[in-house]
Amino acid sequence: MQNHNNDVMLKRTGCPISYTYKIYYILIYSELDLWHSNCIIKGRMYETKTITKQNMDREISKEIIKQKKRKKLLSYGIGGAVIIALFIIITSSLRSTVNIRDLTVSTVNRGSLSVSVNASGKVVPAFEEIINSPINTRIVEIYRKGGDSVYIGTPLMKLDLQSTETEYKKLLDEEEMKRYELQQLKINNRTALDDIEMKIKVSAMKLSRMEAELRNEIYLDSLGSGTTDKVRQAELAVNTGRLELEQLKKMYENEQQVKDADLKVKELELKIFSKSLAEMKRTLDDAQIRSPRKAILTYINQQVGAQINQGEQVAVISDLSHFKIDAEISDSYGDKVKAGGMVIVRIGKEKLTGYISSVTPLSKNGVISFTVQLDDDNSPILRSGLKTEVFVMNAIKDDVTRIANGSYYMGSGEYELFVFEGSGQLVKRKVKLGESNFEYVEVLSGLQEGDKVIVSDMKQYNNKNKLKLKK
């Protein structure tokens, strides 16, 4: 087409009905202005009028542009919302179906229930002994390695004992010297006492002589040959001699007591020193690290040349043929854990029975520790360090409604469990559960005998009330 008087303009239209070159007009229909040409829409021709070039060059208003953008965004939003809704519907439909082979089913029945509380435990050797270094020293040689079987007196390692042995020999010499000192003290004491005894004998002899003289003076005085003064002097000499003899005897007694006390002190000093020496000898023997019994060497310090402080652990031996359980339980159940109480220990699918042999009286970090002695403490399923479940039995209930225990059970209270209803459908039901043991949970309400309940983990279906089964 060609231009006429510059009144019209040729341009390719975007008309969805007629994709041709036409003259632009303003279509007036129901008060709506649309850019269009002579198009037939819905089988009807609408009234048009021509546009001048001046009108054709007029810019489209911003309001019209905004309306078009809003319509485009609205269409995109509606489309996205539809896609998301379809995705949710499809996903929900898929999640509403569950494979029966992935579920654990329990049938409600009636029976007795041995009520228990749960605890955690660890398998440990029934006997374990830590061997410590008795002195400050260093490791010279290693004779055994971890895992070796050892017997009583088996050497495990050699420590540097040179300085300790020198000190021990020095103490031996000191002990010998103290023995000689004690012997010397005994001789000195005996000599001193013998001197006093001799003085006593001499004094006694003098006293006898003076008594004889007194008797002579008295006799002479009776004959008139003596004098009264001589009798008195003789009597005075006798009395003086008696006092001197008595003094010597008293001195002997006191000196003997003192000497005996000194001797006992010296003997006690020697005894104490001998004990210290024996302790050092024992320490020296212990420093020659040996196994105290038949067992398995579970640990040994293998760093040759390493400095070892007194009391530092150098080896551990264990009896790995017999085991016990070290268990812990919340202190809120402290009244249910008592020495002698029956216990069931579960390791995987295996169960072992036993009893509580000891209970720690104090709570630490909110837990109470206790030890379980197993009836079969050498069972082949026991391994040192193995984690176990421990069930402390404390009561027995007869003829109760019960279901199998599982990961769903977290203590007494209300639960929402899926129950078989009809064929091919699971329905969520509110159930009240009571006490439990390692096998069963008491049902207080919500279930009847014969109901089939899902006891596996169903957390991913918390927002579902019904589920379809897929075989």
Side-chain angles (χ1 to χ4, degrees):
M1 297 180 66
Q2 62 182 12
N3 296 337
H4 296 282
N5 298 324
N6 296 325
D7 290 334
V8 292
M9 176 180 64
L10 288 177
K11 191 173 183 181
R12 187 177 181 86
T13 68
C15 175
I17 300 175
S18 177
Y19 200 64
T20 58
Y21 288 92
K22 293 184 180 293
I23 302 175
Y24 276 82
Y25 295 92
I26 296 178
L27 177 63
I28 303 174
Y29 178 64
S30 299
E31 299 181 354
L32 179 65
D33 294 344
L34 300 172
W35 291 101
H36 214 285
S37 62
N38 287 331
C39 294
I40 299 176
I41 301 175
K42 295 183 180 180
R44 179 177 177 182
M45 180 70 73
Y46 295 101
E47 181 180 358
T48 63
K49 72 178 182 178
T50 60
I51 308 172
T52 64
K53 182 178 180 181
Q54 182 178 359
N55 291 336
M56 285 294 295
D57 293 339
R58 184 183 62 188
E59 294 182 359
I60 300 174
S61 67
K62 292 183 180 180
E63 186 63 28
I64 294 175
I65 294 173
K66 288 182 180 179
Q67 288 178 357
K68 288 183 177 181
K69 286 183 178 180
R70 281 197 295 268
K71 289 180 181 179
K72 185 180 291 185
L73 292 173
L74 182 62
S75 64
Y76 288 160
I78 293 173
V82 170
I83 293 172
I84 293 172
L86 288 174
F87 177 77
I88 293 173
I89 292 171
I90 293 172
T91 304
S92 177
S93 176
L94 292 174
R95 290 185 63 184
S96 297
T97 304
V98 62
N99 195 327
I100 192 171
R101 288 176 295 182
D102 299 333
L103 303 177
T104 303
V105 182
S106 173
T107 302
V108 181
N109 59 24
R110 299 187 70 83
S112 61
L113 182 71
S114 299
V115 180
S116 65
V117 291
N118 293 12
S120 61
K122 183 174 71 172
V123 179
V124 298
F127 167 80
E128 186 174 70
E129 183 172 344
I130 298 174
I131 301 175
N132 300 319
S133 173
I135 57 174
N136 295 323
T137 182
R138 67 184 183 89
I139 299 175
V140 177
E141 293 182 47
I142 303 295
Y143 301 135
R144 293 289 184 271
K145 62 180 183 298
D148 287 351
S149 296
V150 293
Y151 300 89
I152 297 177
T154 301
L156 304 180
M157 65 170 57
K158 181 181 179 181
L159 301 179
D160 183 4
L161 306 177
Q162 184 174 358
S163 59
T164 306
E165 288 175 344
T166 302
E167 182 67 20
Y168 176 70
K169 291 177 180 178
K170 180 181 177 182
L171 292 178
L172 281 175
D173 294 339
E174 287 187 24
E175 183 188 34
E176 190 69 17
M177 185 176 65
K178 286 183 178 294
R179 291 186 186 277
Y180 289 141
E181 288 177 352
L182 179 61
Q183 187 176 359
Q184 184 181 16
L185 179 63
K186 288 180 179 179
I187 294 173
N188 292 336
N189 290 347
R190 186 71 259 168
T191 301
L193 292 175
D194 287 345
D195 289 342
I196 297 175
E197 283 183 2
M198 188 59 67
K199 289 179 180 180
I200 291 174
K201 289 179 180 180
V202 171
S203 179
M205 292 174 66
K206 288 181 178 179
L207 180 61
S208 297
R209 181 175 57 80
M210 286 185 289
E211 287 176 347
E213 290 177 353
L214 176 61
R215 285 194 298 270
N216 291 334
E217 291 296 331
I218 293 174
Y219 178 73
L220 292 173
D221 185 52
S222 66
L223 295 176
S225 300
T227 63
T228 305
D229 291 337
K230 287 184 178 180
V231 173
R232 289 179 179 174
Q233 287 178 358
E235 288 178 350
L236 180 61
V238 169
N239 291 332
T240 302
R242 287 174 179 172
L243 290 174
E244 288 177 352
L245 180 60
E246 185 178 350
Q247 183 183 16
L248 287 173
K249 288 181 178 179
K250 193 67 176 177
M251 182 187 297
Y252 180 84
E253 291 178 1
N254 292 338
E255 192 69 18
Q256 189 177 32
Q257 291 178 359
V258 171
K259 298 300 183 182
D260 287 344
D262 289 341
L263 184 62
K264 288 180 180 179
V265 169
K266 284 294 184 180
E267 287 176 344
L268 186 59
E269 286 179 355
L270 179 61
K271 192 174 181 180
I272 293 172
F273 188 86
S274 297
K275 286 183 178 179
S276 300
L277 186 63
E279 180 67 19
M280 175 163 280
K281 179 65 168 62
R282 188 186 67 81
T283 301
L284 191 62
D285 291 340
D286 290 344
Q288 298 173 5
I289 306 298
R290 300 175 184 272
S291 174
R293 65 185 67 241
K294 180 182 178 181
I296 302 295
L297 182 63
T298 54
Y299 166 78
I300 186 168
N301 188 334
Q302 295 185 341
Q303 295 180 343
V304 176
Q307 291 293 328
I308 304 297
N309 296 323
Q310 182 179 1
E312 185 174 342
Q313 175 180 303
V314 294
V316 178
I317 61 169
S318 305
D319 181 2
L320 297 183
S321 61
H322 299 275
F323 297 90
K324 62 182 179 180
I325 307 296
D326 283 346
E328 291 182 342
I329 194 170
S330 171
D331 55 7
S332 59
Y333 297 112
D335 59 328
K336 301 183 183 297
V337 181
K338 298 178 181 179
M342 298 303 296
V343 171
I344 292 179
V345 177
R346 185 164 66 187
I347 303 174
K349 295 183 179 180
E350 301 293 332
K351 293 179 291 184
L352 297 173
T353 58
Y355 63 91
I356 299 174
S357 59
S358 63
V359 181
T360 302
L362 298 178
S363 172
K364 184 177 180 181
N365 297 327
V367 297
I368 294 175
S369 301
F370 60 96
T371 302
V372 176
Q373 183 68 43
L374 297 171
D375 296 333
D376 183 10
D377 62 359
N378 61 348
S379 172
I381 66 173
L382 295 172
R383 295 289 184 274
S384 182
L386 196 63
K387 299 293 184 181
T388 68
E389 292 181 275
V390 180
F391 302 91
V392 181
M393 318 303 290
N394 53 72
I396 297 178
K397 290 186 175 182
D398 294 323
D399 194 30
V400 298
T401 305
R402 62 188 188 179
I403 58 174
N405 202 339
S407 59
Y408 69 93
Y409 183 74
M410 303 300 291
S412 300
E414 289 190 352
Y415 291 79
E416 290 185 337
L417 302 178
F418 283 97
V419 183
F420 279 81
E421 187 174 285
S423 59
Q425 185 172 250
L426 298 175
V427 177
K428 186 180 286 185
R429 189 183 299 179
K430 288 188 176 181
V431 178
K432 189 174 182 179
L433 302 179
E435 296 181 297
S436 70
N437 62 16
F438 65 99
E439 288 182 311
Y440 297 104
V441 177
E442 179 185 18
V443 178
L444 299 178
S445 63
L447 294 175
Q448 300 296 325
E449 187 176 0
D451 286 345
K452 293 185 176 181
V453 185
I454 305 302
V455 293
S456 50
D457 188 4
M458 301 291 283
K459 290 180 181 178
Q460 57 180 322
Y461 303 107
N462 282 345
N463 60 338
K464 301 294 180 183
N465 292 322
K466 292 184 179 181
L467 292 174
K468 292 181 180 180
L469 290 174
K470 181 174 66 174
K471 297 183 180 179

